[in-house]
Amino acid sequence: MKLVQFHLPGAGIRLGVLQGGRVYDLTAVEPVWDSFLTLVEISRGRADLLEELVLEKITQLPDAAYEWEELDHNAVFSKKHLLMPIFPPEVWGFGVTYQRSAEARDADVASQMDSTASIYDRVYHSERPECFFKATAPRCVGPNGPIGIRSDSELTATEPELAYVLGVDREIIGYTICNDVSAWDLERDNPLYLPQSKIFTGCCALGPVIATPSEIPDPYALKISCRIIRSGEVIYSDTTDSGRIGRRFEELNEYLYRDNPIPPGTVVSTGTGIMVPNEHNLRDGDVVEIEIEGIGVLSNTAIRL
Ligand code: DO4
Ligand code: MG
């Protein structure tokens, strides 16, 4: 099951279910289901209950259904359009979960600062993963929304990542795509600048849907691809596989929840397995497309802040 949120002029935020290329308006059947987060609360954060509740409603779905193409375009208030699939109370990120990420980052640091040459390698191999606070809903954007390039960064990159949504008791209630947009030059200048490298306006794109676990039988066997399009031309593309991740999600959750109150609906981004070369840093107007099997394509345009 794939769930979305969308804007309906005159009605506001709607929760929808995507079936056969059409989005059915669940809020029209059940007005209290006004967002994905409300559905998480109603289903007490349980994926099976959430699916059961939606399936029940599907039988009563009204004719209020829209073609995907009608919704999948830039946000214009007077037109219906996709919103981020959840307004997460918090977004957390994990880092250096793929060997390629560790190697590329170490090589960069080694060329600048010999004394800290192995910090990323140490993170990749150590028991404790790197876990960082990433965003809140107002810093996130949805499908087709603007991702930010900080005004003080010359090297901001896209990090295409598989993300999961937490219910309660560490349960994963769905999967989505996250673009962990990051100002790499700030992080390289000094790892202590990580919060500034990671958290700013439009630093996190989410969507286009939340795919429930029944849609994703094996989250460690998903093709992840990324394209950067500049002036209508694909200037960069690469792929990886979620199976290359060096850690299990249970392990990430074990550290995330340790002495830390994680609210239901929190989104956890699992780290990038694609390291975009420095020469393909984001420029104003670049379009970034990230595709993950079973979830869809998340497309966003970069803007300089
Ligand atoms: O160490 C810095 C951030 C790492 C990260 O975001 C990633 O590997 O995806
Ligand atoms: Mg990342």
Side-chain angles (χ1 to χ4, degrees):
M1 177 179 298
K2 290 179 175 171
L3 294 149
V4 299
Q5 295 189 138
F6 63 100
H7 165 80
L8 191 62
I13 300 160
R14 315 296 277 187
L15 180 67
V17 60
L18 173 64
Q19 283 201 315
R22 307 191 85 201
V23 173
Y24 291 84
D25 187 347
L26 288 165
T27 313
V29 197
E30 190 53 87
V32 293
W33 291 13
D34 55 1
S35 70
F36 187 81
L37 209 48
T38 305
L39 190 58
V40 172
E41 277 163 26
I42 291 171
S43 58
R44 301 192 297 280
R46 279 180 41 199
D48 56 340
L49 201 51
L50 185 149
E51 289 205 8
E52 215 176 280
L53 289 171
V54 174
L55 281 173
E56 247 174 56
K57 292 293 168 211
I58 285 177
T59 55
Q60 313 156 32
L61 277 176
D63 294 334
Y66 308 101
E67 296 299 325
W68 180 256
E69 291 71 28
E70 274 183 88
L71 298 172
D72 189 16
H73 56 77
N74 289 351
V76 179
F77 198 67
S78 58
K79 287 188 179 169
K80 36 187 173 306
H81 59 261
L82 290 173
L83 298 170
M84 63 184 101
I86 182 170
F87 304 117
E90 295 178 2
V91 179
W92 287 78
F94 280 86
V96 199
T97 48
Y98 289 76
Q99 181 119 33
R100 261 160 88 179
S101 174
E103 284 168 359
R105 288 172 202 277
D106 264 339
D108 277 318
V109 172
S111 66
Q112 288 173 19
M113 246 197 301
D114 272 343
S115 56
T116 53
S118 67
I119 57 163
Y120 293 114
D121 193 50
R122 291 211 305 268
V123 169
Y124 184 72
H125 288 105
S126 81
E127 194 180 322
R128 180 189 289 273
E130 174 194 341
C131 177
F132 53 89
F133 188 77
K134 173 63 187 171
T136 48
R139 295 177 176 90
C140 296
V141 298
N144 309 301
I147 46 175
I149 304 169
R150 286 181 67 113
S151 55
D152 55 0
S153 167
E154 290 308 317
L155 178 55
T156 287
T158 197
E159 294 191 9
E161 304 186 6
L162 172 65
Y164 55 82
V165 184
L166 290 164
V168 294
D169 297 332
R170 304 178 188 199
E171 180 167 3
I172 293 177
I173 53 166
Y175 296 90
T176 192
I177 301 171
C178 173
N179 188 344
D180 172 21
V181 183
S182 307
W184 282 355
D185 47 356
L186 269 63
E187 177 192 330
R188 283 173 195 173
D189 203 13
N190 189 319
L192 291 175
Y193 294 150
L194 193 71
Q196 294 172 76
S197 146
K198 293 289 187 187
I199 306 168
F200 47 91
T201 301
C203 64
C204 177
L206 298 173
V209 305
I210 306 272
T212 54
S214 62
E215 290 278 342
I216 310 284
D218 184 358
Y220 303 103
L222 303 175
K223 188 175 162 202
I224 302 174
S225 48
C226 173
R227 292 175 286 281
I228 300 177
I229 301 151
R230 187 170 295 160
S231 311
E233 233 182 85
V234 177
I235 56 150
Y236 169 79
S237 72
D238 198 3
T239 58
T240 189
D241 189 295
S242 62
R244 299 174 81 119
I245 194 166
R247 301 185 189 260
R248 301 276 108 176
F249 301 156
E250 297 73 37
E251 188 190 344
L252 302 183
N253 282 343
E254 153 62 25
Y255 281 92
L256 180 65
Y257 279 93
R258 196 178 287 181
D259 306 324
N260 195 14
I262 294 295
T266 290
V267 170
V268 179
S269 200
T270 62
T272 186
I274 293 178
M275 289 301 286
V276 176
N278 291 352
E279 63 268 28
H280 296 311
N281 60 323
L282 288 177
R283 291 203 204 147
D284 199 48
D286 282 357
V287 175
V288 181
E289 290 181 357
I290 303 172
E291 182 164 8
I292 302 187
E293 256 182 304
I295 302 177
V297 180
L298 174 66
S299 176
N300 298 95
T301 303
I303 54 155
R304 186 162 272 286
L305 302 171

